[in-house]
Amino acid sequence: MSESLVPFPAVPGVGTTLEALITAGTRGAPGATGEFASLINSIALAVRIIHNRVRAAGLAGMLGYTGETNVQGEEVQKLDVIANDILCAVLEKSGRCAMVASEELDEARVTSETGKYLVAFDPLDGSSNIDVNISIGTIFCVLRAQSISGHLAEGFIQPGTKIVAAGYSVYGSSTSLVLSTGHGVHGFTLDPGVGEFFLSHPNIRCPERGNTYSINEGNWARWDDPVKKWAAWIKGEDKALGLPYGHRYVGSLVADAHRTLLKGGIFAYPADKKSPGGKLRLLYEANPMAFLFEQAGGAATNGVDRILDLIPKGLHDRTPLVIGSRHDVATFRQFALRER
Ligand code: AFP
């Protein structure tokens, strides 16, 4: 039987480390061999190393572009490449990860012949914010390794319902790691002096309804009518309905999602005339976020359909993404359905 985590202790003690909780969580789980715990701890190690490089980037000449473009046709920044190399190297050394898929890799890459898991990641999300010292992060999800028709890489081409763990880090005013292994969502904050993630936000719940909306308003002219009508509605004046909502938009998914997860409200990156299939990537941006929001009691759709039910066709598929409080995501859906 495959191992899985059991729920974290309900009232974790002060000074509880991520490593201790993950290890305690897998101990006694049916079929547990420690491999899952070891994989998650390796990802946390990679995040700590990336944190270290991000903090030193300005001093160490790591800011700027490499001059190359990635598979998405976007300019690759030096820290993107560094973060990708760190995750690949740490996961390879762990021996627990059979293959990785990354925003920075055209194809999935084999990392271990014996690994039981697949890891998909965006090594440094929000990279256009790197040079201006705005929060960026790492997003990842873990699937069980399985070869489909003899192709291990096809194992990534599964709906998000197959995810066994997902998380993201935010390199912001502090470095945090938000993680779910399918038993709720827990937030950890890095103590940089000690080099450990400590549990700081146990059992995160996304409020049923919020008062903030997050969308790139500069795309207004490119939106379809339902999105325009929703955006006009949410900033309209209606005291009885709790309107208008305030507007917040960082432009790093990790930062906008983190605020929305903790405080409630809605983040939307809908399809538009420039990106008819949406801008964000399904496997390593939308799916991990959808898994976390659902685990925290929130919701995640492409405007209408549940993100975790979408069947990817390729590693770098894009999707519209609407995540947040259940009430707010449902209201967006009503606008989207009205004009179908
Ligand atoms: P970059 O990595 O190019 O900065 O893109 C960030 C991102 O993928 C995601 O983190 C943001 O939510 C979204 O794109 C912002 O896109 P806009 O700049 O088009 O609003």
Side-chain angles (χ1 to χ4, degrees), residues 23-335:
T23 307
T26 48
R27 199 177 295 134
T33 59
E35 288 178 62
F36 183 75
S38 165
L39 177 79
I40 299 293
N41 284 324
S42 293
I43 294 172
L45 169 64
V47 167
R48 293 202 303 272
I49 299 171
I50 297 169
H51 150 90
N52 184 268
R53 301 297 187 272
V54 168
R55 294 288 179 242
L59 296 170
M62 287 189 269
L63 297 179
Y65 293 90
T66 61
E68 290 168 9
T69 52
N70 66 14
V71 66
Q72 324 287 338
E74 299 158 339
E75 286 187 283
V76 176
Q77 298 220 312
K78 288 182 194 168
L79 267 179
D80 284 349
V81 177
I82 291 167
N84 187 61
D85 290 351
I86 291 168
L87 270 158
C88 290
V90 170
L91 287 170
E92 193 166 358
K93 286 269 178 331
S94 81
R96 312 302 187 199
C97 175
M99 271 194 128
V100 293
S102 163
E103 181 181 10
E104 302 303 336
L105 300 173
D106 294 8
E107 307 285 342
R109 181 185 288 174
V110 176
T111 42
S112 160
E113 298 294 333
T114 53
K116 285 208 254 174
Y117 297 96
L118 306 176
V119 183
F121 51 82
D122 179 351
L124 213 52
D125 172 66
S127 45
S128 58
N129 280 327
I130 293 174
D131 280 354
V132 286
N133 203 13
I134 291 176
S135 297
I136 50 180
T138 299
I139 313 174
F140 62 90
C141 67
V142 178
L143 297 155
R144 290 188 204 289
Q146 55 168 298
S147 76
I148 295 173
S149 320
H151 295 291
L152 189 55
E154 299 298 321
F156 282 109
I157 310 301
Q158 305 181 58
T161 47
K162 302 282 185 194
I163 289 173
V164 293
Y168 64 82
S169 61
V170 186
Y171 311 110
S173 48
S174 60
T175 289
S176 49
L177 179 62
V178 174
L179 176 71
S180 176
T181 57
H183 300 283
V185 180
H186 306 278
F188 302 83
T189 302
L190 182 67
D191 181 332
V194 181
E196 287 277 7
F197 277 109
F198 289 98
L199 184 64
S200 51
H201 298 72
N203 297 315
I204 294 172
R205 301 300 295 167
C206 182
E208 178 62 26
R209 180 181 177 170
N211 55 19
T212 302
Y213 77 107
S214 186
I215 192 167
N216 185 343
E217 284 269 359
N219 289 332
W220 173 276
R222 298 174 179 152
W223 291 336
D224 291 341
D225 273 355
V227 180
K228 284 182 177 167
K229 284 182 181 159
W230 166 81
W233 170 82
I234 204 160
K235 61 190 168 195
E237 183 80 47
D238 190 331
K239 224 173 178 181
L241 290 177
L243 300 175
Y245 276 27
H247 180 252
R248 297 284 184 279
Y249 191 73
V250 176
S252 290
L253 176 60
V254 284
D256 286 314
H258 191 55
R259 182 195 57 252
T260 306
L261 185 71
L262 295 181
K263 299 198 166 179
I266 185 166
F267 167 88
Y269 208 113
D272 59 33
K273 288 194 181 66
K274 188 177 170 200
S275 314
K279 177 184 177 185
L280 302 176
R281 292 69 167 189
L282 177 59
L283 285 193
Y284 41 81
E285 291 185 310
N287 267 346
M289 289 300 178
F291 185 79
L292 290 160
F293 272 81
E294 287 200 4
Q295 282 291 320
T301 69
N302 61 2
V304 173
D305 300 316
R306 186 182 179 219
I307 288 288
L308 294 181
D309 286 335
L310 301 180
I311 315 271
K313 291 193 185 68
L315 291 181
H316 302 288
D317 280 12
R318 295 175 191 261
T319 178
L321 178 64
V322 180
I323 48 178
S325 298
R326 288 171 75 91
H327 173 91
D328 296 314
V329 173
T331 306
F332 186 101
R333 185 169 187 272
Q334 283 168 13
F335 275 87

